[in-house]
Amino acid sequence: MAKVNKKGDGRILKAYMVAYNAASFVGWAFVLAKTAMYVANNGTKLDGLFAEIGCPLIYVQTGAALEILHALVGIVRSSPLTVLLQVYSRLLLVWGTLYPFDYPEVRASYGFLLMVFAWSITECVRYSHYALSLLNIESPVLLYLRYTLFYVLYPAGVSGELLTMWAALPYAHAIRPSFKGFLILNMINYPPVLFKLYTHMIRQRRKILGGDSKPKAGTSANAVASGTPSKKKL
């Protein structure tokens, strides 16, 4: 088979990353829309929420595991450790908490609702920002939201995650006490991880927005977004 030249490689990688980010945006937008419609129709009666969004939530979040690979092989400029910390905790929530424990205390809790709203809003902004950046379409609004909403959404998401995991502890203990201990260890690890991710985003915001309420003049989202392909690959 003939080798693809570097320029061809770059085009393929760019097309792949556009498709990945666009598909991820669509998935999270679907979860967000379904969640909002459910709450609008049912209020705080959350018994049927997981049945509405459980499968798409698990699928779209599991797809984010590819981002670890993207960072490891250098397709994007993100730190592999930072990406791992972000993705691992969420995979633990969907596969280690929500999937195995079909109990209203876990799947129909306010913590679950808070977590889903925080995740889906964050990811809709993030993936749409990255996809447009790859297409050389700059959106100052998305850029600002990407590096500002985290002030509220990160603590909200972590609070929802901890509440959901806490609700699962008795059921984890019933399966195996060591499983409960594993979840507790992960909960204890949340504060330092949140501090690392939060301060990382604050540094990114200062770098990209310059600490002002508006993006720096001439700042290109494509040049600074950590989720866009690395120039050395493109």
Side-chain angles (χ1 to χ4, degrees), residues 141-159:
V141 173
L142 280 178
L143 184 64
Y144 178 77
L145 292 176
R146 169 73 181 107
Y147 294 100
T148 302
L149 288 180
F150 77 91
Y151 280 121
V152 174
L153 295 179
Y154 269 32
V158 166
S159 298

Side-chain angles (χ1 to χ4, degrees), residues 167-181:
L169 291 180
Y171 306 108
H173 181 81
I175 294 175
R176 190 182 292 266
S178 59
F179 188 11
K180 177 182 178 180

Side-chain angles (χ1 to χ4, degrees), residues 55-92:
C55 285
L57 173 66
I58 290 174
Y59 291 153
V60 71
Q61 184 54 63
T62 302
L66 286 171
E67 296 183 23
I68 302 173
L69 179 62
H70 297 164
L72 284 173
V73 301
I75 296 177
V76 299
R77 290 172 286 176
S78 302
S79 162
L81 177 59
T82 301
V83 175
L84 177 63
L85 291 174
Q86 291 173 320
V87 175
Y88 165 76
S89 63
R90 290 192 181 188
L91 291 180
L92 176 62

Side-chain angles (χ1 to χ4, degrees), residues 105-125:
E105 293 86 354
V106 179
R107 294 183 174 182
S109 66
Y110 291 120
F112 174 57
L113 179 64
L114 179 62
M115 179 182 76
V116 171
F117 269 129
W119 285 6
S120 55
I121 294 171
T122 297
E123 302 300 34
C124 281
V125 172

